[in-house]
Amino acid sequence: MATQLVTTAAELREASARLLAQKAGRSQGLVPTMGALHEGHARLARTAVEQNDVVVASIFVNPLQFGDAVDLDRYPRTLDADLALLEEQGVDLVFAPSVEEVYPGGEPLVRVTAGSLGEKWEGASRPGHFDGALTVVAKLLHYGIPRSGLPATGAFVSGGGGGLPAYRAYFGQKDAQQLALVRRMVADLNFPVEIVAVPTVRSEDGLALSSRNRFLSAEEREAALVLSQALRLLAERATAHQPLDLESARAMVESQSLVGLDYFDVVDPLTLEPLAENCRKVPFRGEGLALIAAKVGPVRLIDNVPLSS
Ligand code: AMP
């Protein structure tokens, strides 16, 4: 079935209810994106298509999460290519609302606040970013609620159970802090949705795919590889129960002159609090997450890798 583009909440409600009825659907998946899609987004969409009867992808560049108007203006917009990519994955509906549709009264008075988890790491260099991101994710999760269909058969039943279709939303591990915050929001505020995490998709040489990679020169792209190399080194040390020796991995990144390191640390995967002991000269035990952020030329890049031993 061809992918259908809708731009208003009313159209989305009508189209998703119709599709759920047509397909006798028992589940709906939502894939929130900002467009400029690549294979990472495609993986999210494919996972959603595999797991749900009806899949909605949203494309919305959210002004609320950009501190810098220039960055917002520069964000790539490639709607035609995005639609083709989503159609190829089997997405049923693309919801691409205008800013006025999402924020009809201008900036919202009442917002979601990310709390202390939103102030560290990315939040430290992008004040207010996660409040803006969570506010729009909250809205998108509400837009995407399935409205009708047959009783759910999956493990997750939205709302109070009974006749409502299952509802799942898909987020990339690439944005680990956003994923942790979305999980906390859904748990803390009882959103009727299951959050599904999708592993990071990388290019063959290891660079995590990102819509911002297109702004890297060939030389900067080459230099940026040190981020994933340093993360992989830590993952290998963790698996081998060796000391992580974060300092030597940091030095490796800092030796690359085109890379300005912002942070590189090992944290608890849920709270994102540093795992101080585990970072140093003792053999790694347990679970962790290595987080890195750096400016490469004009582009700020983030990446992370799970650690397990
Ligand atoms: P964005 O359009 O950048 O806001 O990203 C939309 C969704 O795609 C988010 O849940 C991201 O975490 C996810 N995503 C972005 N890059 C990747 C990647 N390389 N691999 C997997 N998921 C990704």
Side-chain angles (χ1 to χ4, degrees):
M1 208 186 289
T3 302
Q4 188 186 342
L5 174 66
V6 293
T7 56
T8 67
E11 282 175 333
L12 173 63
R13 262 198 310 276
E14 194 274 321
S16 85
R18 187 170 32 74
L19 276 169
L20 278 167
Q22 260 173 24
K23 295 185 172 197
R26 289 158 189 254
S27 56
Q28 183 159 299
L30 175 73
V31 183
T33 82
M34 297 205 299
L37 304 182
H38 49 63
E39 185 51 36
H41 302 104
R43 170 83 67 89
L44 260 66
R46 270 202 303 283
T47 309
V49 168
E50 279 160 21
Q51 298 180 355
N52 299 278
D53 297 324
V54 172
V55 172
V56 180
S58 64
I59 298 178
F60 181 63
V61 182
N62 174 36
L64 230 51
Q65 70 192 67
F66 285 81
D68 179 349
V70 179
D71 199 25
L72 173 63
D73 283 347
R74 255 169 59 96
Y75 202 84
R77 286 150 170 100
T78 58
L79 185 62
D80 289 345
D82 294 348
L83 291 175
L85 178 142
L86 293 169
E87 176 139 28
E88 233 170 84
Q89 316 313 316
V91 167
D92 299 286
L93 285 172
V94 175
F95 177 49
S98 64
V99 172
E100 294 69 35
E101 173 70 20
V102 176
Y103 302 117
E107 290 205 352
L109 178 67
V110 177
R111 304 171 187 220
V112 179
T113 57
S116 57
L117 187 51
E119 283 162 17
K120 55 183 81 160
W121 310 121
E122 281 308 282
S125 57
R126 304 176 71 184
H129 167 70
F130 286 116
D131 292 358
L134 285 186
T135 300
V136 84
V137 169
K139 289 178 68 96
L140 292 169
L141 289 173
H142 288 136
Y143 288 130
I145 290 175
R147 302 286 164 167
S148 67
L150 297 175
T153 53
F156 180 80
V157 179
S158 57
L164 295 172
Y167 182 30
R168 305 182 182 94
Y170 294 79
F171 292 86
Q173 179 63 44
K174 160 78 166 47
D175 297 283
Q177 190 170 4
Q178 172 175 275
L179 173 63
L181 278 163
V182 169
R183 285 193 188 287
R184 274 308 292 259
M185 175 176 75
V186 163
D188 288 353
L189 302 181
N190 302 88
F191 278 47
V193 61
E194 177 190 356
I195 300 301
V196 181
V198 178
T200 301
V201 177
R202 300 176 179 281
S203 60
E204 248 171 50
D205 55 15
L207 186 68
L209 298 190
S210 162
S211 307
R212 295 173 195 266
N213 290 353
R214 70 190 67 200
F215 298 126
L216 295 168
S217 69
E219 201 188 353
E220 288 159 356
R221 194 188 176 291
E222 188 65 28
L225 293 180
V226 77
L227 273 59
S228 54
Q229 285 161 356
L231 290 173
R232 200 173 60 226
L233 184 66
L234 291 191
E236 285 165 4
R237 286 176 181 163
T239 309
H241 308 296
Q242 289 170 358
L244 293 185
D245 191 7
L246 181 61
E247 288 313 313
S248 70
R250 258 197 205 126
M252 175 176 154
V253 178
E254 280 166 345
S255 71
Q256 181 50 261
S257 63
L258 291 178
V259 176
L261 186 59
D262 180 356
Y263 59 79
F264 186 12
D265 223 321
V266 175
V267 301
D268 177 279
L270 294 180
T271 63
L272 306 190
E273 288 296 331
L275 294 177
E277 275 310 298
N278 248 331
C279 292
R280 309 204 180 272
K281 307 283 182 197
V282 296
F284 184 84
R285 289 273 176 263
E287 304 293 318
L289 191 64
L291 297 178
I292 195 165
K295 206 126 188 239
V296 184
V299 187
R300 186 186 164 78
L301 296 177
I302 59 171
D303 198 356
N304 68 87
V305 74
L307 306 176
S308 179
S309 77

